Amino acid sequence: MKNKALILTFISVFAFTKLALSQAEVTQQNNNTKNSIKMEKVTFNSEGLILVGHLYTPANFNPSKKYPAVITGGSLTSVKEQMAGTYAKKLAEQGLVALAFDYRNYGESEGQPRQYEDPNLKLKDLEAATSYLLSLPFVQAVGALGICTSGGNVAYLAAEDDRVKAVATVAAWLPDEQTLPLLYGSQENIDKLRKVGQESKERFALTGANDIILAYHNTDDSASHVGPMEYYMDQSRGGGIEEWKNEFAVMSWETWLDFEPMSKANSITTPFMVVHSNGSALPDNAKKFYDNLKGEKELVWGDGYHFDYYDQPKQVNAAVQKVSEFFLNNLK
C-alpha cells in the first residue's frame, strides 16, 4: 500500500508539472506572437478597383499608439510577395508600419487588362495607398519606398502628393528621353514598339484580346526585357513566386516608353533618399536625378548588382538600415 501511495503521489506531481510546463509553453507562445512581426491581408479602393495588400506591423504593436508608415513597391510586373514584401517586413522589424500591395492589373488586385503597365495609373494607386494608410488611427505619417521601377513610380508620387512626407528609392529605374534610344537600340525601334503597342490597344478595345509577351528572359528577343535576368529565371528567387506572372501586355509599350521619372526630380521638395550602386540600373541617371532634387536629400552609394537589391541579404539589409533611419527621422 505504501508503494502504491508513492506511485500515486509521483503520478500526481508529474501530471501537475506537465500541466505547469504546458501552461508555460502556451504563455511563451503567446508572448512570441505578441512580440513578433505581424502581416495582415488588407484591401482598399483605387478609382473603383479593389487593391490587395499585405500590411506589416512591428513587434509589440499597439493600435492605440502612433507609428510612421511606409508604402513599398517593386519592379515592373512584380507582386507584393517579391521585393515589396521583403522590404516591408524588414521595415516592420525596424519599428515601422509597412504596406506592400499589388498595383491594379497585377497579382491579387483588380483591373483590366491584366499585366498592363501605366505609370499614371500606378500614381493613382500609390495615392490610394497613401489615403488608406492615413485612414488608419495608428498611422502618424506616410512615406514611400520604391525598388527598381517603383523607384520611378514613387518619384511621380513625391512630385504630386504633399501628404507623403519622405520618399526613398533602392536601385531605382530612372530613365529619361536621352537614355531610351540607348536602351532600345534606336529611335526607330522605339517608334516601332510604340506602334505595336497602339495596335494592340486598339485590338483589345475591339475584341477584348490582350496580347501578352514574356516580361523577362535571358535570351528570348520576344520578351520585353532581354539579358541576364537571373532573379526572374531562378525558381529559388523571384521566378519561384507563385503569385508572379512573367507576362507583359503588349499594349503597355506606349505608356511604358512614356515613363520618365527624371522629369519629376525638379518638382520634388519632399525629403528624399537615393540608394544605388554602379552595378544597378542607369547609375549616371541616379546621380543626375539626385542632383536635380530640390529638397532635403541623401545619396547612399553601395555595392552589388542590381538584382542583389531585390533579395540578397547583404544589399537588402544595408539598404534597409539606411532607409529605415531616414524614415524614422522624417515621418514624425
Side-chain angles (χ1 to χ4, degrees):
M1 291 294 295
K2 185 176 181 181
N3 288 340
K4 184 177 179 180
L6 287 172
I7 292 171
L8 289 173
T9 301
F10 175 79
I11 291 173
S12 298
V13 171
F14 176 77
F16 177 79
T17 304
K18 184 177 181 181
L19 176 62
L21 287 172
S22 297
Q23 290 174 336
E25 288 171 357
V26 169
T27 301
Q28 183 62 46
Q29 288 174 356
N30 290 337
N31 287 337
N32 289 340
T33 300
K34 181 181 177 181
N35 296 333
S36 63
I37 303 302
K38 291 184 181 179
M39 185 272 284
E40 176 187 3
K41 181 175 285 189
V42 298
T43 61
F44 55 96
N45 189 283
S46 179
E47 297 189 313
L49 297 171
I50 296 175
L51 305 188
V52 181
H54 287 163
L55 185 69
Y56 294 81
T57 51
N60 298 311
F61 174 72
N62 184 343
S64 66
K65 294 183 177 181
K66 294 285 189 178
Y67 295 84
V70 179
I71 303 162
T72 62
S75 65
L76 175 71
T77 76
S78 68
V79 291
K80 62 186 177 300
E81 290 79 9
Q82 293 175 307
M83 61 288 295
T86 296
Y87 277 81
K89 182 176 184 294
K90 287 186 174 292
L91 289 176
E93 290 171 356
Q94 300 303 313
L96 296 123
V97 169
L99 173 67
F101 76 98
D102 292 326
Y103 293 106
R104 71 179 72 187
N105 309 329
Y106 293 105
E108 292 186 275
S109 290
E110 293 182 341
Q112 293 288 341
R114 304 305 292 174
Q115 304 298 117
Y116 174 60
E117 181 72 16
D118 187 328
N120 291 316
L121 296 180
K122 282 189 167 181
L123 171 60
K124 297 295 185 183
D125 294 346
L126 287 166
E127 291 174 335
T130 302
S131 296
Y132 166 71
L133 285 176
L134 287 173
S135 75
L136 301 176
F138 50 82
V139 168
Q140 66 185 13
V142 174
L145 169 64
I147 302 94
C148 191
T149 302
S150 285
N153 297 129
V154 298
Y156 277 54
L157 180 67
E160 298 291 335
D161 197 331
D162 60 9
R163 297 176 302 164
V164 179
K165 302 305 181 184
V167 178
T169 65
V170 173
W173 176 249
L174 299 167
D176 58 15
E177 60 181 8
Q178 285 75 37
T179 56
L180 282 180
L182 300 176
L183 293 168
Y184 293 96
S186 67
Q187 186 60 48
E188 182 181 3
N189 286 343
I190 292 172
D191 293 340
K192 287 180 179 177
L193 290 173
R194 286 183 180 277
K195 184 178 180 181
V196 168
Q198 291 168 357
E199 292 172 347
S200 180
K201 185 174 287 187
E202 291 170 2
R203 186 159 46 251
F204 178 79
L206 290 172
T207 69
N210 185 13
D211 301 320
I212 294 289
I213 59 175
L214 289 172
Y216 304 97
H217 201 274
N218 290 335
T219 58
D220 189 339
D221 289 335
S222 69
S224 69
H225 289 70
V226 185
M229 297 290 169
E230 61 269 23
Y231 173 81
Y232 301 103
M233 299 297 101
D234 190 339
Q235 290 296 302
S236 68
R237 299 180 69 186
I241 301 297
E242 183 180 354
E243 295 82 359
W244 175 70
K245 296 183 183 297
N246 187 14
E247 296 178 349
F248 179 83
V250 173
M251 72 181 79
S252 303
W253 274 123
E254 190 169 18
T255 47
W256 172 244
L257 292 170
D258 285 341
F259 187 42
E260 195 178 351
M262 185 69 73
S263 66
K264 305 297 182 181
N266 286 319
S267 303
I268 296 174
T269 58
T270 305
F272 208 108
M273 172 177 278
V274 175
V275 179
H276 217 82
S277 71
N278 287 329
S280 295
L282 304 175
D284 290 339
N285 278 33
K287 293 175 182 177
K288 180 180 175 182
F289 178 88
Y290 173 81
D291 289 340
N292 290 341
L293 292 169
K294 298 305 181 185
E296 176 188 338
K297 57 188 177 180
E298 184 176 352
L299 179 65
V300 177
W301 210 255
D303 59 8
Y305 182 49
H306 184 83
F307 294 138
D308 292 343
Y309 285 94
Y310 289 8
D311 63 346
Q312 296 304 293
K314 179 183 177 182
Q315 281 72 28
V316 171
N317 290 338
V320 167
Q321 179 182 353
K322 290 294 185 179
V323 299
S324 60
E325 291 173 358
F326 169 75
F327 285 127
L328 289 168
N329 286 333
N330 286 283
L331 299 178
K332 297 179 178 178

